[in-house]
């Protein structure tokens, strides 16, 4: 997910910060101390600096079309191991209750950012939707690696892996889209899907499109928003708890470091400009798993083995949150 575009305005640039802030992470993520310590052991060879990213986000059901804008389609000839390592995905995106397991009775909604076909529907994804605080475009096409591996492919692959992991533990898992729509859904519809499912946890999957040298992951938490149809006040605390669990377990499983360009080294960022968070009535966070425009992060994001680790880290964070 990039910061320039519909649901993703750029935050103020921050300088990369490490050192004492790394130690502070253990206080922010008390349930995942082992994960943070594992990251410290791995270290971080990231560069510094900050920049704006290329567009990203997702879209919805047809509505009154707004001004049309062109969307470029990333090359399909990306060099990666995604096809070989991608697990076969069920044809349907409907939820599949599991019979037993520690998460029996729990509902998890996974929101794979963007849609592989969004680029074919520029007018639809550019029409405006109300996110409570203001109006924004339905969605964007998402970003990609320099070699053309798209964010939409990445998020759907990780979503499939997460679904398999969570269903084995008894959870009922629903995807907001499974590559089975011509475009979208829009950011407001994505929020409604989680709300209608009465989800115990919702995670929106993304990968950033920031400047080269900007590395690492960050989890986006909802700010306290009360405007129009948006009221996040009841979910702010629970969403932070969910985000902290995911951040800690993501570090432990992947060895990736928190972002060196947003979040001041904590891996946590609070936003009030995202419709998917503003309109949610259930605990929800976004995760930017890495920066697709940085060659070192791109090497991870295009690795099926690393995506399996990412799926496991996010899933285990959800499990820890749901177990309390």
């Amino acid at each position: 997910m990039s910061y320039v575009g519909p649901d993703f305005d750029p935050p103020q640039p921050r300088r990369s910060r490490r050192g004492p802030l790394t130690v502070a992470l253990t206080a922010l993520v008390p349930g995942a101390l082992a994960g943070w310590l594992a990251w410290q052991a791995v270290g971080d060879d990231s560069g510094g600096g900050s920049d704006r990213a290329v567009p990203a986000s997702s879209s919805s059901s047809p509505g009154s079309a707004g001004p049309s804008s062109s969307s470029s389609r990333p090359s399909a000839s990306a060099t990666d191991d995604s096809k070989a390592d991608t697990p076969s995905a069920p044809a349907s995106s409907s939820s599949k209750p599991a019979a037993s397991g520690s998460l029996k009775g729990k509902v998890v909604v996974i929101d794979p950012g963007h849609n592989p076909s969004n680029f074919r529907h520029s007018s639809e994804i550019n029409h405006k939707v109300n996110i409570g605080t203001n109006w924004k475009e339905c969605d964007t096409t998402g970003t990609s690696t320099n070699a053309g591996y798209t964010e939409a492919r990445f998020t759907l692959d990780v979503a499939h892996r997460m679904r398999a992991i969570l269903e084995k533990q008894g959870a009922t898992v629903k995807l907001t889209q499974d590559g089975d729509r011509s475009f979208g859904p829009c950011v407001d519809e994505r929020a409604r899907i989680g709300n209608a499912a009465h989800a115990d946890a919702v995670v929106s999957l993304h990968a950033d499109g920031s400047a080269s040298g900007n590395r690492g992951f960050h989890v986006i938490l909802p700010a306290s928003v009360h405007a129009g149809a948006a009221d996040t006040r009841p979910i702010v605390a629970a969403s932070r708890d969910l985000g902290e669990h995911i951040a800690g377990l993501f570090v432990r499983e992947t060895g990736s470091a928190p972002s060196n360009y947003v979040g001041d080294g904590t891996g946590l960022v609070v936003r009030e400009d995202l419709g998917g968070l503003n309109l949610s009535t259930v605990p929800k966070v976004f995760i930017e798993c890495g920066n697709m425009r940085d060659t070192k992060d791109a090497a991870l994001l295009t690795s099926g083995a690393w995506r399996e680790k990412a799926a496991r880290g996010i899933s285990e964070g959800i499990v820890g949150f749901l177990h309390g």
Side-chain angles (χ1 to χ4, degrees):
M1 176 178 75
S2 63
Y3 281 118
V4 177
D7 208 21
F8 312 101
D9 291 336
Q12 293 300 312
R14 294 182 172 89
R15 294 190 299 273
S16 172
R17 296 169 63 182
R18 295 288 307 279
L21 286 169
T22 302
V23 179
L25 294 178
T26 58
L28 283 169
V29 194
L33 175 59
W36 292 120
L37 294 178
W39 167 64
Q40 288 179 306
V42 172
D44 177 21
D45 58 356
S46 306
S50 63
D51 197 359
R52 292 188 177 185
V54 300
S57 177
S58 297
S59 85
S60 139
S61 55
S64 56
S68 176
S69 67
S70 61
S71 298
S72 60
R73 181 184 184 184
S75 167
S77 62
T79 302
D80 61 71
D81 60 358
S82 57
K83 292 183 179 179
D85 290 335
T86 301
S88 57
S92 172
S93 62
S94 60
S95 59
K96 178 183 177 183
S100 62
S102 65
L103 296 184
K104 183 178 180 180
K106 299 295 185 181
V107 177
V108 176
V109 171
I110 304 171
D111 178 29
H114 315 293
N115 183 310
S117 298
N118 273 356
F119 73 95
R120 295 190 179 98
H121 299 274
S122 59
S123 62
E124 290 90 345
I125 68 172
N126 279 289
H127 83 264
K128 299 293 183 70
V129 297
N130 192 329
I131 67 166
T133 54
N134 62 311
W135 291 75
K136 285 195 172 182
E137 288 83 354
C138 160
D139 198 11
T140 68
T141 58
T143 189
S144 70
T145 65
N146 295 332
Y149 179 59
T150 65
E151 182 182 4
R153 286 177 61 193
F154 170 80
T155 62
L156 202 54
D157 178 83
V158 175
H160 291 158
R161 296 171 189 271
M162 287 178 60
R163 177 167 60 188
I165 293 169
L166 293 167
E167 284 182 345
K168 283 183 180 179
Q169 300 196 47
T172 296
V173 181
K174 181 177 180 64
L175 271 60
T176 58
Q177 61 92 12
D178 198 4
D180 51 359
R181 299 174 56 128
S182 57
F183 66 92
C186 289
V187 294
D188 58 338
E189 185 182 353
R190 289 173 186 265
R192 289 197 299 270
I193 291 170
N195 298 344
H198 302 289
D200 295 288
V202 184
V203 177
S204 188
L205 304 174
H206 291 273
D208 211 352
S210 189
S212 178
N214 289 346
R215 296 197 61 197
F217 77 93
H218 61 278
V219 179
I220 304 174
L221 315 174
S224 181
V225 173
H226 186 210
D231 187 0
T232 64
R233 294 173 298 176
I235 67 164
V236 166
S239 296
R240 173 170 284 273
D241 189 23
L242 171 63
E244 290 178 348
H245 275 85
I246 289 174
L249 273 296
F250 193 84
V251 167
R252 189 185 75 180
E253 296 296 328
T254 66
S256 293
S259 169
N260 65 2
Y261 59 102
V262 291
D264 292 334
T266 67
L268 302 173
V269 177
V270 177
R271 301 274 294 273
E272 61 180 13
D273 60 323
L274 305 181
L277 296 181
N278 286 1
L279 300 175
S280 182
T281 60
V282 295
K284 182 175 182 178
V285 299
F286 282 41
I287 181 168
E288 297 278 7
C289 296
N291 177 20
M292 291 195 128
R293 294 293 181 173
D294 178 84
T295 56
K296 291 181 180 179
D297 269 9
L300 299 176
L301 297 166
T302 55
S303 163
W306 187 88
R307 290 195 301 274
E308 184 66 23
K309 294 177 182 178
R312 188 164 60 244
I314 299 168
S315 297
E316 289 306 311
I318 294 171
V319 172
F321 167 74
L322 294 179
H323 283 170

